[in-house]
Amino acid sequence: MSAIPQGAGPRSLAGTRRTGRAALVGAVCAVLAVALTGCGGEEDPDAGTNGVGKLPASKIESKARAAAQRADTVHLSGNVVSQGRTYKLDMSLAKDGAKGELTTKAAAFQLLRVGDALYLKANAAFWAGEKSGSRGTPNQAADKLGGKYVKVPATDPVYKRFSGFTDKDTLLAGLLGLHGKLTTGDRSDINGVRTIRVAAGAGSGGTLDVSLEGTPYPLRLRRAGGAGVVRLADWGKSVDLKAPAKDQVVDYGSKIAGKD
């Protein structure tokens, strides 16, 4: 019987186990690579989003503006500083009108616009301040208007001052302006919706948080110069607009001037 040459025998059992273990680890790593973009790699932050997070800041802003313009409705809430006055907004806006509440340091009142007809509902103290120069005593005029929906004529300063808060396109055009060089900022979420932030002037020119899910709507705005923070929600949801009941309406033109 001839001798078996040294070193010509089968692999050792330990070597076989090491080879099998390495193959198993490689297979597991390959599976994870598909699910997690590579063994030891980072998850794609844009996975499952609308993709705007990959765009330059200027493109994100323009897409958000376009989405806001196309939408029929939106709900705005927050604080806005305009002409030295701070207004607290809680408004639902549509293409053909709006409804909600506006609060200032001095008063709170409801606004309703249906088509071109603007109604304002406030207490007597508000109207006493607004119409202190009207014919008759201010209190007599204000008592007729307090707690009622007052139909305000388009020629009155009150109409001009407050109708802009009920015009979706006008209000958004004024609010969504950012001032300065645009850059992309942090990713976050608002009410469970993932967002990406666009900042202007390193934040001093305002910031805009844009949805990364579905339509890239603007969801939160911080205005330049500390001029307020506004949240934008319920894009495209129906807003029920109808004129108040006749017994709840006072005709501003005939009542306030003492023509009744």
Side-chain angles (χ1 to χ4, degrees):
M1 180 182 292
S2 59
I4 299 174
Q6 188 175 2
R11 289 183 180 180
S12 68
L13 182 59
T16 301
R17 287 175 177 171
R18 283 194 296 270
T19 302
R21 190 179 300 115
L24 177 60
V25 170
V28 171
C29 205
V31 172
L32 290 176
V34 175
L36 301 177
T37 68
C39 219
E42 296 182 358
E43 187 175 357
D44 181 1
D46 291 300
T49 73
N50 55 24
V52 299
K54 298 178 180 180
L55 301 176
S58 60
K59 289 286 188 181
I60 299 174
E61 187 213 20
S62 65
K63 282 185 172 291
R65 278 179 170 274
Q69 188 174 22
R70 287 193 302 267
D72 289 332
T73 62
V74 64
H75 177 238
L76 296 184
S77 60
N79 301 300
V80 173
V81 179
S82 177
Q83 298 180 348
R85 297 185 181 187
T86 299
Y87 297 92
K88 182 178 179 181
L89 292 172
D90 188 1
M91 297 293 301
S92 294
L93 301 117
K95 293 286 188 182
D96 56 348
K99 66 179 181 178
E101 187 171 85
L102 204 61
T103 305
T104 68
K105 185 178 180 180
F109 47 91
Q110 296 178 40
L111 285 174
L112 171 64
R113 183 173 63 82
V114 182
D116 292 329
L118 177 67
Y119 303 88
L120 195 157
K121 184 178 182 180
N123 60 24
F126 170 85
W127 289 111
E130 286 293 324
K131 305 307 293 181
S132 59
S134 61
R135 188 164 52 180
T137 66
N139 287 339
Q140 288 175 337
D143 287 343
K144 298 176 181 179
L145 305 178
K148 296 283 189 177
Y149 282 99
V150 177
K151 188 174 182 179
V152 184
T155 56
D156 194 274
V158 172
Y159 190 103
K160 295 177 181 179
R161 192 198 312 172
F162 296 124
S163 62
F165 289 103
T166 68
D167 188 308
K168 172 184 171 287
D169 291 338
T170 298
L171 187 56
L172 289 182
L175 288 176
L176 295 179
L178 298 176
H179 309 284
K181 182 180 179 181
L182 300 180
T183 56
T184 52
D186 297 335
R187 292 167 184 261
S188 185
D189 72 85
I190 297 175
N191 294 332
V193 178
R194 287 180 290 174
T195 60
I196 186 166
R197 178 168 296 172
V198 175
S204 63
T207 64
L208 187 65
D209 293 282
V210 179
S211 175
L212 285 171
E213 301 180 17
T215 304
Y217 289 122
L219 299 184
R220 180 171 57 198
L221 169 72
R222 293 183 184 273
R223 302 184 72 205
V229 179
V230 178
R231 290 202 175 205
L232 307 96
D234 297 338
W235 290 99
K237 290 189 176 180
S238 177
V239 178
D240 183 21
L241 296 173
K242 58 184 178 181
K246 289 184 178 181
D247 61 355
Q248 291 297 310
V249 176
V250 176
D251 190 306
Y252 184 113
S254 63
K255 296 294 186 180
I256 194 67
K259 296 178 182 177
D260 51 316

